[in-house]
Amino acid sequence: MPSTINSLVVFTCWWTTTLMFQAMANENLEPLPVIVTPIHYRLTLLPILEDNPRLCGHVWIDVKARAETNLIVLHASDLTIIKAIVLPVSSDASERGSQFKSEDGLMVENFCFATAVYHDTNADSSNIALDHHADGQKQLSSILLREVLKKGAYYRIGLLYTGNIYESNKGFFRATYDVGNKSDCCKRTIAATQLEAIHARRLFPCIDEPAQKATFQLMVGHHFTLKAINNMPLKSSTRMATVDNWVWDTFDTTPVMSTYLLACVLTEFNHVETTYHSISGNNVTVRLWTHQHRLGHLDFALNLIPKALNKLENYLGVPYSLPKLDVVALPGYEEGKAMENWGLIIHSEMNLLVDETTDDIDKSIVGATIVHELAHQWFGNLVSSTSWDDIWTNEGLTTLFESAILEQVASDLEYETVMLVFLQEVMRSDLLSTQFALSAPASRYPSVDEKFDVIAYAKGAAIFRMVRSFVGEEAFQSAIRRYLNKYQYASANSTDLWNLINQEARRTHTISGRMNVARIMKTWTQQPGYPLVHVHRSKNGIIHISQRPFKNSDSPPKENSTMAVSASWWVPISMTNGEELKFSPKDRLPVAWLSPRKPSMELQGTIGNNTWVLVNPQVGNYYRVNYDRRNWDLLAEQLMRNHTVIPFITRSQLVDDAFVMGHAKIISYDIALELIRYLTHTNDDVLIRRVAQSHIQFLEGIAANSIQSPDKRKMIKNMSSFITRERRSRMAKMSADDSGRGDCDSGDHQCVNKALLLFRDFIDGTIHPGKDRSANSESVWCAAVRHGSQPEWNFAWNMTSSYGDQMLPETKTMLKAMCCTTDSVNAKQLLTRAFHPNIKQGPKETLMIMQRLIKNPTVHQVAVTFILSNWNFLNKHFQNPSVMSELLTAIAKHSYSIEELEKVKAFVVGNSKELESGGVNRIMAAINNNMEWLELATDESRAIDEL
């Protein structure tokens, strides 16, 4: 019992610290008071997955005191602390390791299975903890001490607790999957952790901040039929003392790392394995995990990962840090999701598995995702962000390396396509009036998960791509290597990286001594949006260049706009022209700069008035460019003469820029029309056709929902004909004796007839898709479904309605092709397939069908009506709020009617409780973004120029 004086000291310290505690904002991103620094976590977990699912756990946290107080504050969410002790320990690490040895496994299994709380007389007698208190709203737990901590002294915190097993992807969660034909008898459970961003506090009490790094040792209990996987190799496995058929697996201690990177998977999966020979001389065991019957679908990843690791190590100059790498294809993981846990990367199945039905784009996305998560082993894992505010640094760098690595190890993939699609998507999103800046504090977002958006990934990558362009490859690589070496096993922020890049750029003389990279980059990271660069040539040859924010030039800013009217940037101007043709990386070094103080400038031209100029070759910088009409015409003429003179990436951006500026009423649409005219004379540029087609589809959607002038309708028709006329279709390449030309998408009779003949041969059994790949084509079957009649549809329906333990590749292809239907009755039948009692359709197939029908303009409304009308059923079917949010986001992005968007907005408001908070905000952002573009495009008061 403490004395009266000691009690007064305790009360005073408690009150002082409590006031500090209460002063913290309710937002759980506020940093904890700097009371202790974590050194090591020894974590024991016993997840019970069946029969009253629950999590039982115990953690020992070795800490160093940083303040003299009698209160320790930790993060804890949905955890119930049963017992808390705090023990003074030695400052010597080796001595500390032998102090207060305990049977952690026995303690947890006795508590979890017998509700018995274990007491250690030796530890209890040294315990200085007096009481503990939880604040669920703030996700915090505090421990009141009998005595004040001694600054600089070491302590060990022990916490016995219970927690939840979640059904959604957070904390320790579980998912079920089918392994047989009858769902009643053949379901299996898999469990895994998802701790990013701030879900470690749902797994164990901790200091859940990315900069508060420590080492971790995990012991996990499970039924012997399951395999446990952790960040580190298995150290030992022992039987439980009190429960039959259960074991304790103990893993090696991790390097110093952030709490959100700790990971565990419990599964019956099997794996394929290879060995990677690191530049350090060590052999790294690489294991890839999935269902037994899908092991063959891991071949692509198994081949790619060692090659990508080697290129990353050689570029970064730092070896991979762990002795092994496990990669898991996880059923029940949010579609498209992946998590870079150090040494244990988790992918959704669609982001890792590749089979015969995986098309080139999807395969490229799988490759990019694999490289992205591998790059995180350095950016985010080895070097962490100091706070969630700067998480875009890691995401931007890892996204940048996707195409850089794939270019070297898988050049057959469409990595440039993936990069361009991502870039063009973010350049549209970044114009949203309510968009946040890259470095906006995470506390401004509804949840920290919202920081992980297209801005963080794609704009972050574009920003680093720009920096690499204006400082040069040598300076950029050298700075990245210095960054990793200087801050490894620690944390850093973007300013730390800018300073190193600045030093290397000055060393290589790519920027002048008067310029500073950090100052330049603040104009790109601390405000949303990007500039529109105007390039105008006078008759005397002078080139006038200026910048302004890219936005609707006439409309006033909205009340909630985050972009300043006078926003300006440090803009690197890289250039080439029709005589010099400079498109290599070294040619992207700027010839001039625009700045906030000098937003315009003049350059003396050295070429004739009949030679085009081009600013921002290969999209080295993050801005759009508008030219005088004469220069636009010269660029279009060049594309008609020989489009390959201008590289593919630059061609794509020219077309996208012209269309987007047309939507924004900055230029007339006939400029875009002239730029795509060259497509009538080439079979190349599939992506550019897709880019143009997406814009034309936008215009067609608007035309179907509003009154349009005859000239505008004529223009849209001409655009559509340009992207399809004289194009050799995929069907034309299917047999050597076929020389047909055309495009089934445009209804070309020759192409459609060829597709229908192939499909009918398949129906008659003349050809077999498993043997004849010419028939196993989504393009052929899509055309047959779209242009065929009821017999074609009936055959497709019967083929996809009955299958055994797993769906065959050709069945998956056919199901995708059926989404090409233009018949509303067929679309309804396809949508109600999920209801059919005799068809075994999983959530993955349902999501694919609905997403494709949402994107199909002819049946878009049918899909929207079905989804909104069957909301309750779909909620039960998917059992995942994030999937429901994903569907509504897709509707918002592909709607061409403000009336429909208003309807979806009202629906979201009415059903917000059934959606994840982050999902609601993503849907609303997509709705608002689309509304802004629709309002611009349908404003006939600023009509398009006459054609």
Side-chain angles (χ1 to χ4, degrees), residues 589-640:
L589 290 170
V591 297
W593 285 83
L594 301 177
S595 70
R597 290 186 176 182
K598 188 181 178 183
S600 62
M601 65 182 305
E602 294 181 350
L603 295 176
Q604 181 60 53
T606 59
I607 58 174
N609 289 334
N610 291 324
T611 301
W612 52 263
V613 297
L614 192 145
V615 170
N616 197 22
Q618 295 298 84
V619 204
N621 304 297
Y622 186 65
Y623 52 78
R624 296 192 189 274
V625 185
N626 184 23
Y627 302 96
D628 59 82
R629 182 55 191 254
R630 174 60 178 158
N631 199 71
W632 278 120
D633 290 342
L634 290 171
L635 287 167
E637 289 169 11
Q638 175 63 73
L639 294 177
M640 284 295 290

Side-chain angles (χ1 to χ4, degrees), residues 437 439 495 498 516-527 568-570:
S439 59
T495 301
W498 298 145
N516 181 277
V517 171
R519 185 168 70 249
I520 291 169
M521 297 315 299
K522 281 182 180 179
T523 65
W524 295 92
T525 63
Q526 294 186 359
Q527 60 183 346
S568 58
W569 293 260
W570 279 87

Side-chain angles (χ1 to χ4, degrees), residues 890-946:
I891 292 172
K893 287 182 176 180
H894 296 279
S895 176
Y896 305 108
S897 162
I898 291 178
E899 181 182 356
E900 181 177 274
L901 289 171
E902 292 286 4
K903 181 180 178 181
V904 175
K905 181 183 287 188
F907 184 87
V908 172
V909 171
N911 294 273
S912 59
K913 292 182 180 179
E914 300 174 22
L915 299 164
E916 53 178 354
S917 60
V920 171
N921 290 289
R922 283 194 298 273
I923 299 163
M924 289 302 189
I927 290 172
N928 292 334
N929 192 14
N930 202 2
M931 276 186 169
E932 288 185 21
W933 283 108
L934 286 172
E935 287 169 359
L936 271 175
T938 55
D939 183 1
E940 291 299 325
S941 64
R942 291 172 291 152
I944 299 169
D945 293 350
E946 291 289 331

Side-chain angles (χ1 to χ4, degrees), residues 287-329:
R287 300 184 300 179
L288 279 68
W289 300 76
T290 189
H291 316 266
Q292 174 67 38
H293 67 269
R294 291 185 175 175
L295 288 176
H297 300 169
L298 291 170
D299 290 346
F300 172 75
L302 190 68
N303 179 59
L304 176 62
I305 287 173
K307 296 177 182 177
L309 281 172
N310 179 258
K311 294 300 180 183
L312 283 164
E313 283 191 335
N314 279 287
Y315 184 90
L316 302 174
V318 177
Y320 174 73
S321 305
L322 301 187
K324 64 91 177 175
L325 173 63
D326 284 296
V327 184
V328 180

Side-chain angles (χ1 to χ4, degrees), residues 324-378:
K324 64 91 177 175
L325 173 63
D326 284 296
V327 184
V328 180
L330 194 71
Y333 208 41
E334 184 179 337
E335 292 295 318
K337 190 178 181 69
M339 178 61 207
E340 67 269 16
N341 311 298
W342 211 351
L344 174 48
I345 298 172
I346 298 175
H347 289 259
S348 66
E349 291 182 308
M350 69 175 289
N351 271 350
L352 190 65
L353 304 179
V354 171
D355 62 20
E356 299 91 336
T357 68
T358 308
D359 63 28
D360 291 342
I361 292 294
D362 286 343
K363 188 174 180 181
S364 300
I365 292 172
V366 170
T369 306
I370 288 171
V371 173
H372 184 100
E373 304 309 322
L374 291 176
H376 264 308
Q377 306 303 297
W378 287 265

Side-chain angles (χ1 to χ4, degrees), residues 457-733:
Y457 288 80
K459 183 174 182 177
I463 291 300
F464 282 114
R465 180 181 172 91
M466 179 171 65
V467 173
R468 186 178 63 184
S469 293
F470 74 69
V471 303
E473 181 60 45
E474 179 187 347
F476 186 78
Q477 181 181 14
S478 180
I480 289 292
R481 288 185 166 199
R482 287 181 60 191
Y483 174 78
L484 292 173
N485 279 286
K486 182 175 182 178
Y487 296 105
Q488 60 182 324
Y489 305 110
S491 58
N493 58 36
S494 56
T495 301
D496 297 321
L497 180 54
W498 298 145
N499 289 338
L500 291 172
I501 293 175
N502 191 67
Q503 293 170 20
E504 291 303 308
R506 288 186 176 177
R507 180 184 63 81
T508 56
H509 307 292
T510 49
I511 65 170
S512 70
R514 294 176 299 171
M515 301 180 72
N516 181 277
V517 171
R519 185 168 70 249
I520 291 169
M521 297 315 299
K522 281 182 180 179
T523 65
W524 295 92
T525 63
Q526 294 186 359
Q527 60 183 346
Y530 52 85
L532 173 63
V533 173
H534 285 274
V535 179
H536 177 79
R537 282 195 296 172
S538 301
K539 292 182 179 180
N540 58 8
I542 294 176
I543 302 174
H544 303 267
I545 304 176
S546 62
Q547 64 159 305
R548 69 165 176 83
F550 189 108
K551 56 185 180 64
N552 177 15
S553 58
D554 296 332
S555 62
K558 297 191 176 183
E559 290 182 6
N560 58 348
S561 176
T562 55
M563 186 189 296
V565 176
S566 58
S568 58
W569 293 260
W570 279 87
V571 183
I573 303 297
S574 52
M575 298 180 67
T576 187
N577 58 64
E579 295 178 357
E580 296 176 331
L581 300 178
K582 295 180 177 180
F583 291 99
S584 70
K586 62 181 177 62
D587 294 323
R588 296 173 207 165
L589 290 170
V591 297
W593 285 83
L594 301 177
S595 70
R597 290 186 176 182
K598 188 181 178 183
S600 62
M601 65 182 305
E602 294 181 350
L603 295 176
Q604 181 60 53
T606 59
I607 58 174
N609 289 334
N610 291 324
T611 301
W612 52 263
V613 297
L614 192 145
V615 170
N616 197 22
Q618 295 298 84
V619 204
N621 304 297
Y622 186 65
Y623 52 78
R624 296 192 189 274
V625 185
N626 184 23
Y627 302 96
D628 59 82
R629 182 55 191 254
R630 174 60 178 158
N631 199 71
W632 278 120
D633 290 342
L634 290 171
L635 287 167
E637 289 169 11
Q638 175 63 73
L639 294 177
M640 284 295 290
R641 284 195 308 273
N642 182 0
H643 64 281
T644 62
V645 165
I646 299 176
F648 161 73
I649 291 177
T650 305
R651 295 198 300 274
S652 176
Q653 195 59 29
L654 280 171
V655 170
D656 191 58
D657 281 357
F659 271 106
V660 172
M661 284 188 278
H663 300 329
K665 300 297 189 293
I666 294 169
I667 62 175
S668 61
Y669 278 119
D670 61 319
I671 290 176
L673 183 71
E674 292 305 313
L675 283 178
I676 64 173
R677 188 183 294 272
Y678 84 96
L679 293 172
T680 64
H681 300 300
T682 178
N683 299 322
D684 301 331
D685 289 359
V686 173
L687 171 66
I688 297 175
R689 294 177 194 278
R690 289 174 181 166
V691 170
Q693 189 170 32
S694 68
H695 288 293
I696 296 167
Q697 188 176 3
F698 175 75
L699 292 171
E700 289 173 337
I702 294 170
N705 288 278
S706 63
I707 299 173
Q708 300 289 325
S709 67
D711 284 341
K712 190 166 184 177
R713 291 185 180 276
K714 177 184 176 183
M715 176 203 68
I716 295 171
K717 184 177 180 180
N718 287 339
M719 285 179 173
S720 184
S721 69
F722 284 178
I723 64 171
T724 57
R725 191 189 307 160
E726 296 299 322
R727 175 189 169 197
R728 180 179 296 274
S729 69
R730 292 184 182 181
M731 272 54 71
K733 298 178 182 178

